[in-house]
Amino acid sequence: MSDADVVKSTIENLEFFSKLDESEKERILKNSIIKTYSKNQILYDHNSECLGMVVPLSGTIRVTMASENGKEINLYTLEQGDVDVLSASCVINQISFDTVMIAEDNCDVIIIPAIVVSEVQKKNIYLHSYILEIAANRFSDVMWTMQQILFMRIDQRIAIFLLDEYVKSHKNVMIKVTQEEIAKNINSAREVVTRILKRMSADDVIEIRRGKVIIKDIDYIKNLAIAD
């Protein structure tokens, strides 16, 4: 398929698209582009122009917030089938904080330019409502992250991460992830994660290999993830 065909087939399946008139549909399809990003490349930060609506086609995008001293908090991740608008602060005036979008691995992304999204949503209440709904969903993701950081033990946060990866990999117990990547995803220090993983390994819950964590007791991980 050509890029234009991929853009058309993907955007046509977004919830708001059928509610647009023909000129609005044409404008969005004509101006949307596919961009390819390499691993660790920044898609968007506070120095970037307003990006627009982001629709991942492949790969994983990590959305973070960074302090002036360089400390970083992982807010949520985006994968194929997700949509994000928090990089479009010029579209949603109420967004008053800066996020950073980083490619976790090589990824292809459809971008509907901010100027197009902004102008169409001013005239079309369905697109406007869709943008607010997506923003609300992302803020819910952010609040879940804050809840984990503030109220959950590190071992529980690790269990939640491993369980999520287990589900996403269609119940494959071999999780391909480094300890550094786990630490980034749960917003903790690598040294702390290493200590907890070693304890889990000693308890025969997991097995640690280079670049991998093998879940040996999935029931323990599940129970730990949902513990009060």
Side-chain angles (χ1 to χ4, degrees), residues 63-169:
V63 181
T64 72
M65 179 184 290
S67 66
E68 291 183 359
N69 62 10
K71 186 174 182 180
E72 186 179 274
I73 295 178
N74 187 60
L75 300 177
Y76 55 88
T77 57
L78 301 169
E79 297 179 329
Q80 183 180 7
D82 292 328
V83 179
D84 190 62
V85 293
L86 290 193
S87 62
S89 56
C90 56
V91 175
I92 307 176
N93 295 329
Q94 289 79 6
I95 295 178
S96 58
F97 64 90
D98 293 318
T99 57
V100 180
M101 305 182 78
I102 306 168
E104 279 277 89
D105 41 36
N106 297 337
C107 58
D108 294 322
V109 180
I110 292 176
I111 296 175
I112 307 176
I115 184 65
V116 175
V117 175
S118 179
E119 291 180 359
V120 174
Q121 64 100 19
K122 287 177 182 177
K123 300 177 182 178
N124 190 296
I125 187 63
Y126 295 103
L127 177 55
H128 181 72
S129 297
Y130 179 80
I131 290 170
L132 294 179
E133 180 182 353
I134 293 297
N137 289 339
R138 295 295 161 242
F139 279 119
S140 179
D141 293 338
V142 171
M143 291 306 297
W144 168 239
T145 297
M146 293 300 105
Q147 181 181 341
Q148 287 183 301
I149 293 172
L150 293 172
F151 304 119
M152 293 184 184
R153 303 189 315 269
I154 298 295
D155 59 346
Q156 185 176 13
R157 286 152 61 184
I158 291 174
I160 290 171
F161 172 80
L162 292 176
L163 186 58
D164 285 345
E165 294 300 306
Y166 168 78
V167 172
K168 285 193 290 187
S169 63

Side-chain angles (χ1 to χ4, degrees), residues 6 14 31 34-35 38 45-46 64 70 87 97 107 117 122 145 169 186 192 204 224 227:
V6 172
L14 297 181
N31 289 281
I34 295 178
K35 294 194 70 173
S38 56
D45 63 14
H46 67 281
T64 72
S87 62
F97 64 90
C107 58
V117 175
K122 287 177 182 177
T145 297
S169 63
I186 70 167
V192 176
D204 211 31
L224 180 57

